[in-house]
Amino acid sequence: MYFVDRSVAIIKPRAPFLAWLRTVSGEDMIDLTLDSLRADCTAMLLPEFDEPEQAVAYIDEMAEQLFRMELASWHEDESAWPADISLLAFWQWFDVEFHSMVLDSVDADILNTPTTEL
C-alpha cells in the first residue's frame, strides 16, 4: 500500500436533492430512499490540507460545478434543474465528508480521464 498526497471529499445528497429527483423522475424513483441514495456517492481527490476549513474553501470554489455534475448524473435536462444552484443551495442539498488519509492499495498507475466541463 502507498500513501497518496491527496485528501478525499465524499459528496452526499441530502433530502432536497431526493425531493427534486422524485419530481423530475416521477414513478421511476418513488422507492428510492435517502439512505440508498447516499450509499454510493461521488468521491473526489483533493489536495492535502492542514486545516478542515481549507478543504471547505476548496469545495466552495467549485460548488456550482459540483452541483451541476451531481444534477447531470441523474437528469441531463438542465431546464428541469433547480433555478438556484448557488453556494448556499449546494450546502443545503449536499453533505460533504472530508478524509485526510488516502491509501492506494493497487500497485499500478492511476488512469486519469478528464470529466466534461459543465
Side-chain angles (χ1 to χ4, degrees):
M1 272 194 243
Y2 306 93
F3 285 100
V4 179
D5 63 344
R6 301 283 188 270
S7 55
V8 173
I10 310 293
I11 314 298
K12 293 189 168 198
R14 299 177 74 191
F17 186 89
L18 178 60
W20 166 79
L21 187 56
R22 286 183 173 153
T23 64
V24 296
S25 301
E27 297 295 318
D28 294 343
M29 298 291 173
I30 198 81
D31 294 331
L32 186 64
T33 66
L34 191 55
D35 286 340
S36 63
L37 187 61
R38 293 169 59 101
D40 183 18
C41 300
T42 301
M44 276 181 40
L45 292 176
L46 307 177
E48 288 183 297
F49 294 109
D50 294 327
E51 301 294 329
E53 295 81 11
Q54 293 172 307
V56 171
Y58 189 85
I59 292 295
D60 282 352
E61 290 178 21
M62 61 178 47
E64 184 177 332
Q65 181 182 1
L66 291 171
F67 208 151
R68 291 176 173 278
M69 183 183 70
E70 290 295 323
L71 294 168
S73 70
W74 286 91
H75 195 76
E76 293 182 358
D77 180 5
E78 292 184 32
S79 68
W81 290 2
D84 182 8
I85 56 171
S86 66
L87 176 61
L88 178 60
F90 174 83
W91 288 107
Q92 291 171 339
W93 282 49
F94 299 95
D95 287 323
V96 182
E97 287 182 5
F98 296 100
H99 302 275
S100 60
M101 184 179 294
V102 179
L103 299 173
D104 189 348
S105 66
V106 180
D107 191 17
D109 291 338
I110 294 175
L111 175 64
N112 292 315
T113 305
T115 61
T116 51
E117 290 293 319
L118 296 174

